[in-house]
Amino acid sequence: MKIETIILAAGQGSRMKSSLPKVLHPIAGSPMLEHVILSAQTLHARQTNAEGGLHVVIGYGADQVRDRLGNYAANWVEQKEQLGTGHAVKQAAPNCSQADIVLVLYGDVPLIQSTTLASLAAACNGERLALLTINLPNPSGYGRIVRDETGAIQAIVEDKDASSEQHAITEVNTGIMAIPGKRLTAWLENISCKNAQNEYYLTDIVAMAVAEGTAVVHAQPQTATEVQGVNNRAQQAKLERQLQRHIAEKLMASGVTLLDPNRLDVRGSLQAGNDVVIDINCVFEGDVVLEDGVQIGPNCILSNTRIGVGTRIKANSIIDASVIEADCDIGPFSRLRLGTHLADRAKIGNFVETKKAVIGVGSKINHLSYVGDAEIGVDVNVGAGTITCNYDRVNKLRTEIGDGAFIGSNTSLVAPLIVGAGATVGAGSTITHDIPEESLSVARGRQKNIEGWKRPEKKS
Ligand code: UD1
Ligand code: CA
């Protein structure tokens, strides 16, 4: 079955009160429209003969939307004026002429699941008009599903056009529907804008289908969250929490301890092994992997990072684009930036910043240091307050420290520099030349003691 999916995303979303088009507002770190695109892609990939394409109708902020999501394989169709959902679908319809099923989704209904879409598509099967409906205790604002005495769907009546009797109907149109491709063009031609809002309603095709004897059927989503639309920031926040809760439940089911599942934020993909423990208020961005037994203290932020078996990360640490091997200790208050690689059992302590730093097995940088563009061997001890001076305002320069070296506290290592294996650097040194293996280097003013020296006194 060839499915063509049209995502309606042209609306401004004025109630967001934002310069960003509504569909670019994020849920769990990704634009709402991206969630919908991914669900559609998953549906298309499930098709046995994966045919069909994706069409996104954009209008308000079209350039911004295309700039942000243009990498996805889709036809970006512009709707210059937003004259209604029927008019929006009409803009994309010419590209869908060979479809068995035309699936209509909304860019501001972000959590729709591909499994629900698959059941809706199956209900349509190229022959029937299939509506995704839901029963709501408070249906106001939605189009109502009007059924006859036998329970057959007759029409959708928009809230603003409904009679008081129809207002009482609690089964509503979610807006998502699967349309037999062969009927689409004819139906779209017949939509008029003679209604309370002077809009071209896509929902008018339901009565047309009934009139010509095409069956109209319905499917329902597994949860109401899936079909929840976002019109304002409060609804956005509500969906954010619901999705985060769902992610938290899945993590716990897979063997992760969350000290508080309500205080976890995953903005990307988080893969976690068994017996991982995550304390409160941690944020995970991009692709993060936590291997078995990893422990993460409160208030940590990890982005695009892999953490090896049994590593412990203490409170308030920030790790970005790094690889951490097994059994390391990090934090509290560590900042590991792009290109940090810690080998097994390395230790990074408080107020240490690293960048493009490869740190060998069992090496330690325990306090108050900056280590950048550096390669540090095995069992090296970097004392408190050590700085790699890696930048001369033009170039980034490298520091190499050999196995077993010992760098005394408050040392400046002026790169480019090689500290030989087993070398020792005296505290407070400013090292500007390479140090041979197994030697001591001290580069500071000698201490001079003047006995009996008197402080100057104030003249009276
Ligand atoms: C629509 C349905 C209603 C349903 C409700 C569910 C119609 C006529 N009504 O009403 O039955 O209960 O959704 O939320 O279809 N859009 C465009 N171009 C346009 C108009 C809309 O791209 O010209 C997009 C919007 O950006 C939005 C979606 O289509 O993502 C729905 O439009 P909206 O105006 O919110 O429809 P409703 O009046 O809520
Ligand atoms: Ca709406």
Side-chain angles (χ1 to χ4, degrees):
M1 242 338 102
K2 184 174 176 185
I3 301 180
E4 300 281 350
T5 298
I6 302 175
I7 304 176
L8 305 188
Q12 175 181 3
S14 51
R15 279 173 284 168
M16 296 297 281
K17 298 198 169 42
S18 173
S19 60
L20 192 68
K22 177 164 75 173
V23 293
L24 291 186
H25 281 264
I27 300 283
S30 319
M32 293 196 278
L33 177 55
E34 189 170 11
H35 288 273
V36 181
I37 291 173
L38 291 171
S39 278
Q41 280 189 341
T42 306
L43 172 77
H44 287 227
R46 286 165 60 115
Q47 293 298 112
T48 33
N49 43 359
E51 267 194 287
L54 192 58
H55 313 271
V56 187
V57 181
I58 50 178
Y60 182 81
D63 291 338
Q64 260 175 293
V65 176
R66 235 183 328 229
D67 283 352
R68 180 67 177 79
L69 296 170
N71 287 342
Y72 285 97
N75 293 319
W76 299 89
V77 185
E78 222 172 307
Q79 185 193 23
K80 299 267 186 240
E81 273 184 292
Q82 279 85 67
L83 302 179
T85 49
H87 181 260
V89 169
K90 207 169 174 180
Q91 309 310 303
N95 298 317
C96 305
S97 55
Q98 304 300 315
D100 297 299
I101 299 173
V102 174
L103 181 66
V104 177
L105 307 180
Y106 287 0
D108 59 359
V109 180
L111 301 186
I112 187 70
Q113 299 299 303
S114 61
T115 45
T116 295
L117 298 179
S119 67
L120 186 69
C124 168
N125 200 32
E127 298 295 335
R128 296 174 288 272
L129 175 56
L131 309 175
L132 192 66
T133 74
I134 189 167
N135 289 79
L136 294 178
N138 174 13
S140 82
Y142 287 90
R144 308 296 205 284
I145 306 295
V146 179
R147 292 177 182 264
D148 68 12
E149 52 295 340
T150 70
I153 295 174
Q154 294 300 299
I156 296 176
V157 178
E158 289 306 298
D159 190 66
K160 290 197 172 101
D161 300 291
S163 65
S164 56
E165 212 171 88
Q166 289 165 334
H167 274 133
I169 299 171
T170 56
E171 187 185 9
V172 305
N173 174 32
T174 63
I176 292 171
M177 58 176 80
I179 304 167
K182 58 188 176 192
R183 301 303 308 135
L184 181 69
T185 314
W187 289 346
L188 291 176
E189 287 307 324
N190 278 324
I191 297 177
S192 81
C193 59
K194 290 193 204 100
N195 52 53
Q197 303 184 85
N198 299 314
E199 278 184 15
Y200 294 88
Y201 291 164
L202 180 62
T203 45
D204 285 356
I205 70 172
V206 176
M208 293 177 203
V210 171
E212 68 174 41
T214 298
V216 182
V217 295
H218 81 287
Q220 293 211 322
Q222 276 166 324
T223 64
T225 307
E226 275 190 63
V227 293
Q228 186 65 55
V230 172
N231 294 311
N232 56 44
R233 298 195 195 237
Q235 290 170 336
Q236 179 191 11
K238 194 172 159 204
L239 275 198
E240 177 76 34
R241 283 346 300 161
Q242 285 175 343
L243 179 55
Q244 292 300 344
R245 182 70 203 200
H246 177 71
I247 294 168
E249 301 288 347
K250 277 204 337 210
L251 285 168
M252 292 188 291
S254 76
V256 174
T257 295
L258 299 175
L259 275 93
D260 183 351
N262 291 321
R263 281 181 290 172
L264 170 81
D265 286 84
V266 179
R267 301 174 190 154
S269 114
L270 174 60
Q271 271 184 61
N274 291 340
D275 298 314
V276 166
V277 179
I278 302 174
D279 211 323
I280 59 168
N281 293 338
C282 291
V283 178
F284 299 89
E285 300 168 328
D287 294 323
V288 176
V289 178
L290 308 176
E291 293 180 1
D292 291 349
V294 166
Q295 293 176 30
I296 302 187
N299 308 321
C300 290
I301 304 174
L302 274 62
S303 336
N304 297 307
T305 284
R306 182 165 68 78
I307 311 286
V309 175
T311 284
R312 294 158 293 270
I313 301 171
K314 296 205 180 79
N316 299 298
S317 294
I318 300 179
I319 307 180
D320 180 31
S322 296
V323 176
I324 314 298
E325 307 284 359
D327 216 10
C328 293
D329 284 284
I330 297 169
F333 295 98
S334 299
R335 179 167 183 223
L336 277 51
R337 293 166 53 201
L338 167 78
T340 296
H341 184 137
L342 303 192
D344 294 353
R345 299 191 304 286
K347 199 164 183 306
I348 304 292
N350 38 214
F351 306 107
V352 173
E353 174 182 350
T354 62
K355 186 214 73 174
K356 291 190 182 162
V358 176
I359 294 165
V361 174
S363 289
K364 295 175 182 157
I365 313 174
N366 276 338
H367 330 268
L368 299 157
S369 292
Y370 171 63
V371 175
D373 301 298
E375 186 164 346
I376 294 181
V378 170
D379 285 326
V380 171
N381 195 309
V382 176
T386 296
I387 305 291
T388 53
C389 309
N390 62 330
Y391 186 47
D392 62 6
R393 221 162 176 271
V394 185
N395 306 296
K396 292 286 160 78
L397 303 158
R398 286 180 58 77
T399 301
E400 277 174 43
I401 303 178
D403 296 347
F406 183 98
I407 313 295
S409 295
N410 200 31
T411 293
S412 298
L413 299 167
V414 181
L417 195 65
I418 298 175
V419 177
T424 301
V425 177
S429 292
T430 297
I431 303 296
T432 53
H433 296 99
D434 291 354
I435 304 174
E437 291 183 6
E438 305 295 340
S439 55
L440 170 68
S441 181
V442 185
R444 62 179 184 235
R446 252 180 197 287
Q447 181 169 338
K448 194 158 68 178
N449 293 339
I450 301 173
E451 287 187 39
W453 181 82
K454 292 273 186 308
R455 290 181 199 148
E457 275 168 23
K458 228 178 202 164
K459 292 195 179 100
S460 54

